[in-house]
Amino acid sequence: MPKLSNTFNPEFWINHKNEKINPNISVDSVVFGFDLKELKVLLVDRILFTPDNEHIIFQDQSLPGNHCRDDENTDQAVRRILKELTGLTDVHLEQFAAFGDLDRLKKERDQIWLKAIGKDPDVRVLTVAYYALVAVDKIYIDQDAWKSLPGWYGKKPRWYGIHDLPDLAFDHKEIIFAAFDFLKEKVVTQPIIFKLLPGKFTLSQLQKIYEVVLDTRLDKRNFRKKITNANFIIPLKQKQVGVSHKPAQLYRFDQKKFDKRAKNLFNLCRF
Amino acid sequence: MPKLSNTFNPEFWINHKNEKINPNISVDSVVFGFDLKELKVLLVDRILFTPDNEHIIFQDQSLPGNHCRDDENTDQAVRRILKELTGLTDVHLEQFAAFGDLDRLKKERDQIWLKAIGKDPDVRVLTVAYYALVAVDKIYIDQDAWKSLPGWYGKKPRWYGIHDLPDLAFDHKEIIFAAFDFLKEKVVTQPIIFKLLPGKFTLSQLQKIYEVVLDTRLDKRNFRKKITNANFIIPLKQKQVGVSHKPAQLYRFDQKKFDKRAKNLFNLCRF
DNA sequence: TCAAAAGTGTTAACGATACACCCATGA
DNA sequence: TCATGGGTGTATCGTTAACACTTTTGA
């Protein structure tokens, strides 16, 4: 049920919790998850009811995001809001871009939505976008957190395949693709891919996530040769259990060993 | 001479040109230039005079930046402001981060400054930071543009070595180092280094800029072997003139040929 | 003729590519 | 016993690393 609890005020807004929120600055997070098959993005529902709450005017999805409070920086805001909307905590979150086009809230549906929830549809909102990486063993989000959301986020957050996204609010599809592009580049220079995997992973899982993110196919034997030459990917004394095939060796990523490894960056240049 | 021409207003500000500017959103640009020896950053002076304009209270430097107008997006704002403050146009500009910490304007000197120019020192300002890359043949900026600046930017913009920065306003030193870190990573996955060189360059110049940006030393013969194997760096039928040593062959970068070249991204992973 | 930077080649080690079959487990 | 994904080796080729001297120009 959408409770229209935001009060519009030309200078600043007071939200339903009586907190001063900044009208010009919001945060949005693109949460990536990997279910061992494909890359997923976490979205929340946006449902607009008729004033009598009897009928749905429209329903679509949006990134988890909201305005910043004026007593928190954007890093704090994005963590707070992500927790409020999805229950996720302790994820790898990193700012990757700001979106501030003048028409980003101007689609007809978005204008209707903004008016309905009591916001000034003409106020300019610049959003600082973050990406988050969630390990496969955390991909089932807190089942209850979303129930305590402000009324206008009335639905459970859900995962969507990156190549199978629904209609999205505002410029959120653009933000997701920008995040995906950023991720592809980031993966080349930083060992962040491991944050999409559980602490213990198999080499096939590692290969698959590289294939999914870089949109490529890799040769199994060559992949394993390269990986096992790297001394920061460490075989554990454990194997998979409960799989109906030969159980795989488990490995972990060692950040300290990775940091020590010196490499000539120039040779990585494409250029 | 600092003319205190901004009018404070709790909802929005009107600047000296009677434009509505957004109190919460600013842009700053870190302009990198390469003078064939070291990497430089373009800074403008910030000078605070006593009310009688007789004495200087303090003088330091800042990045070229200012608040956004509400009728332009940040990409437009940063181009406009960079032109207004330094005369630079047609440079490669790319957003790389937003800085929104609550204390970023709270240093004593910055508070004094904000009050002196008529801005509310308590208003929160989130700045969207851009980096720009300027070719060596453009490094001598427009000699006159700065003369038409708003009064409170009363001095000519100047280049400073990245390892030899003066005291800077606000969090601008942090922004510069973040831009430098970003540049180092970007250079690995994108061919942007050429934007720091003139259209026609020598291989020694190309080697030097890689060494400066990646903070490394490269072997001349190995470097040239790698470069001349790349078919998108093309020798011209021209040589340097007017140098008091053997004149070097000139080359150019071919973006189209670069784009065609397919490469397995995974092999670039560190991982 | 000097100073300054340009330009050049070989060898050894390493990393990338291509490619096909047997193994261990749970159902 | 079958289906499923796990796990392995070799040969060829291309790239990187290490290393020192000659050339061309203007001053």
Side-chain angles (χ1 to χ4, degrees), chain A residues 24 95 98 185 189-190 270, chain B residues 24 95 98 185 189-190 270:
Chain A
N24 296 127
Q95 190 203 112
E185 296 221 334
T189 54
Q190 298 291 332
R270 300 163 68 198
Chain B
N24 295 128
Q95 190 203 111
E185 297 222 333
T189 54
Q190 298 290 333
R270 300 164 67 196

Side-chain angles (χ1 to χ4, degrees), chain A residues 24 69 71-73 95 97-98 101-102 124 185 188-191 210 226 232 258 267-268 270-271, chain B residues 24 69 71-73 95 97-98 101-102 124 185 188-191 210 226 232 258 267-268 270-271:
Chain A
N24 296 127
R69 291 201 317 238
D71 63 348
E72 64 189 358
N73 65 27
Q95 190 203 112
D101 274 357
L102 300 180
R124 181 208 192 131
E185 296 221 334
V188 174
T189 54
Q190 298 291 332
Y210 269 118
K226 176 159 169 151
F232 47 83
F258 177 86
N267 283 332
L268 298 178
R270 300 163 68 198
F271 297 92
Chain B
N24 295 128
R69 291 201 316 238
D71 62 350
E72 64 188 359
N73 65 27
Q95 190 203 111
D101 274 356
L102 300 179
R124 180 206 192 135
E185 297 222 333
V188 173
T189 54
Q190 298 290 333
Y210 269 117
K226 175 159 168 151
F232 47 82
F258 177 85
N267 283 334
L268 299 177
R270 300 164 67 196
F271 298 90

Side-chain angles (χ1 to χ4, degrees), chain B residues 120-263:
Chain B
D120 180 350
D122 294 323
V123 164
R124 180 206 192 135
V125 182
L126 180 138
T127 197
V128 179
Y130 286 70
Y131 76 90
L133 301 178
V134 176
V136 63
D137 52 356
K138 281 199 178 179
I139 203 166
Y140 298 105
I141 50 156
D142 181 330
Q143 300 289 314
D144 292 317
W146 59 276
K147 290 180 184 167
S148 65
L149 307 180
W152 49 279
Y153 274 104
K155 284 292 191 170
K156 186 173 172 178
R158 278 195 303 269
W159 295 97
Y160 294 81
I162 180 103
H163 298 298
D164 194 27
L165 295 173
D167 267 358
L168 289 175
F170 309 121
D171 55 352
H172 286 187
K173 199 166 269 189
E174 185 191 338
I175 294 177
I176 290 173
F177 289 133
F180 192 29
D181 287 345
F182 188 87
L183 180 63
K184 286 180 198 188
E185 297 222 333
K186 195 79 185 173
V187 143
V188 173
T189 54
Q190 298 290 333
I192 55 168
I193 202 101
F194 301 100
K195 297 187 191 296
L196 284 165
L197 291 171
K200 301 170 183 181
F201 51 84
T202 72
L203 293 188
S204 295
Q205 289 165 358
L206 183 59
Q207 179 178 340
K208 182 72 184 172
I209 184 63
Y210 269 117
E211 289 177 341
V212 165
V213 170
L214 295 177
D215 188 28
T216 185
R217 296 303 314 273
L218 299 171
D219 177 88
K220 184 160 62 160
R221 279 176 289 188
N222 294 335
F223 179 83
R224 294 164 104 90
K225 212 178 308 169
K226 175 159 168 151
I227 292 295
T228 52
N229 279 349
N231 73 336
F232 47 82
I233 296 173
I234 296 172
L236 299 170
K237 295 194 186 79
Q238 283 183 50
K239 288 177 185 270
Q240 271 183 319
V241 289
V243 288
S244 76
H245 54 75
K246 180 171 173 177
Q249 173 73 246
L250 292 171
Y251 292 77
R252 71 180 174 86
F253 169 67
D254 190 314
Q255 182 75 50
K256 286 203 196 83
K257 290 216 172 104
F258 177 85
D259 292 338
K260 273 186 213 149
R261 153 225 57 113
K263 239 191 171 179

Side-chain angles (χ1 to χ4, degrees), chain A residues 225-244:
Chain A
K225 213 180 307 170
K226 176 159 169 151
I227 293 295
T228 51
N229 280 349
N231 72 337
F232 47 83
I233 295 173
I234 297 171
L236 300 171
K237 295 194 186 79
Q238 283 182 51
K239 288 179 186 269
Q240 271 183 318
V241 288
V243 288
S244 78

Side-chain angles (χ1 to χ4, degrees), chain A residues 121-146:
Chain A
D122 294 324
V123 164
R124 181 208 192 131
V125 182
L126 180 137
T127 198
V128 180
Y130 286 70
Y131 76 92
L133 301 179
V134 176
V136 62
D137 52 356
K138 281 199 178 180
I139 203 168
Y140 299 104
I141 50 156
D142 182 330
Q143 301 289 315
D144 293 317
W146 60 277

Side-chain angles (χ1 to χ4, degrees), chain A residues 188-216:
Chain A
V188 174
T189 54
Q190 298 291 332
I192 55 168
I193 202 100
F194 301 100
K195 298 189 192 295
L196 284 165
L197 292 171
K200 301 169 182 179
F201 52 83
T202 72
L203 295 188
S204 295
Q205 288 165 359
L206 183 58
Q207 180 179 339
K208 181 73 183 171
I209 184 64
Y210 269 118
E211 289 177 341
V212 166
V213 171
L214 296 177
D215 188 27
T216 185

Side-chain angles (χ1 to χ4, degrees), chain A residues 151-205:
Chain A
W152 50 280
Y153 274 104
K155 283 292 191 171
K156 186 172 173 179
R158 279 195 302 270
W159 295 97
Y160 294 80
I162 180 108
H163 298 298
D164 194 26
L165 295 173
D167 267 359
L168 289 174
F170 309 122
D171 55 353
H172 287 187
K173 200 165 268 189
E174 184 190 338
I175 294 177
I176 290 174
F177 290 133
F180 192 29
D181 287 344
F182 188 86
L183 180 63
K184 286 180 199 188
E185 296 221 334
K186 195 80 185 173
V187 143
V188 174
T189 54
Q190 298 291 332
I192 55 168
I193 202 100
F194 301 100
K195 298 189 192 295
L196 284 165
L197 292 171
K200 301 169 182 179
F201 52 83
T202 72
L203 295 188
S204 295
Q205 288 165 359

